Amino acid sequence: MQLIKKYSSVYLRAGLTFSYLWEVADRLGIIGKHGQPHVGWGDWAHFIDYARQTMAFIPAGLIPVFAAIATLGEGLFGLMLLTGFFTRVAAVGSGLLALAFGISMAISFGIESPLGYSVFTVSAASLLLASLPDYKWSIDSLLNKNQQS
């Protein structure tokens, strides 16, 4: 049990990091082109089409802005979680971003959509990460060691 407690923050950070960075890479066409295996969007235009469906309840002109903010947030939170820099801030931001996405999905597609894609699980995992007392193998832990010395 001690091993789980010691490294759970590393596992949570890794899982959240790669989920976010994968999605950002997909939107930017880094993973492959639209229609290829394991590619959800393949480019920004296909992602914006999905964002329009997901956020159909807000004014159309705001959708590209919110899509860009979400993508920047996912990329930034992913990198912060990867390095463990301001981990708690990134985890709270990640939790709130995933919650907002899950609510948007539920409004537009029904509750089974965010449940089926485990969006609320990502949100909960992020908030759990934010509640942990320390973060092994992180910039935060290195800074805390230096401050204590």
Side-chain angles (χ1 to χ4, degrees):
M1 189 56 138
Q2 189 65 14
L3 189 64
I4 292 171
K5 186 175 179 182
K6 190 173 182 178
Y7 292 100
S8 62
S9 71
V10 175
Y11 186 41
L12 280 167
R13 283 176 37 223
L16 293 166
T17 290
F18 294 112
S19 294
Y20 281 132
L21 295 182
W22 180 270
E23 295 302 321
V24 171
D26 187 1
R27 292 171 200 172
L28 300 178
I30 296 169
I31 296 171
K33 294 181 181 182
H34 181 71
Q36 289 183 319
H38 312 293
V39 174
W41 300 293
D43 56 43
W44 188 252
H46 284 94
F47 171 66
I48 291 296
D49 288 343
Y50 174 74
R52 282 191 181 98
Q53 295 170 33
T54 306
M55 295 183 278
F57 54 89
I58 66 170
L62 293 177
I63 293 172
V65 174
F66 283 126
I69 290 169
T71 301
L72 288 172
E74 289 173 346
L76 181 62
F77 296 147
L79 292 173
M80 290 170 73
L81 292 169
L82 176 67
T83 60
F85 187 62
F86 288 104
T87 306
R88 195 170 325 280
V89 171
V92 169
S94 168
L96 294 175
L97 182 62
L99 178 61
F101 179 53
I103 291 169
S104 294
M105 290 177 76
I107 291 168
S108 296
F109 307 125
I111 192 65
E112 68 279 355
S113 185
L115 293 175
Y117 286 102
S118 302
V119 177
F120 296 126
T121 305
V122 169
S123 178
S126 297
L127 296 176
L128 177 62
L129 178 62
S131 75
L132 296 180
D134 54 42
Y135 305 105
K136 187 103 176 128
W137 296 343
S138 69
I139 291 173
D140 293 340
S141 68
L142 291 174
L143 293 174
N144 286 338
K145 278 184 188 175
N146 290 339
Q147 289 176 355
Q148 292 174 356
S149 298

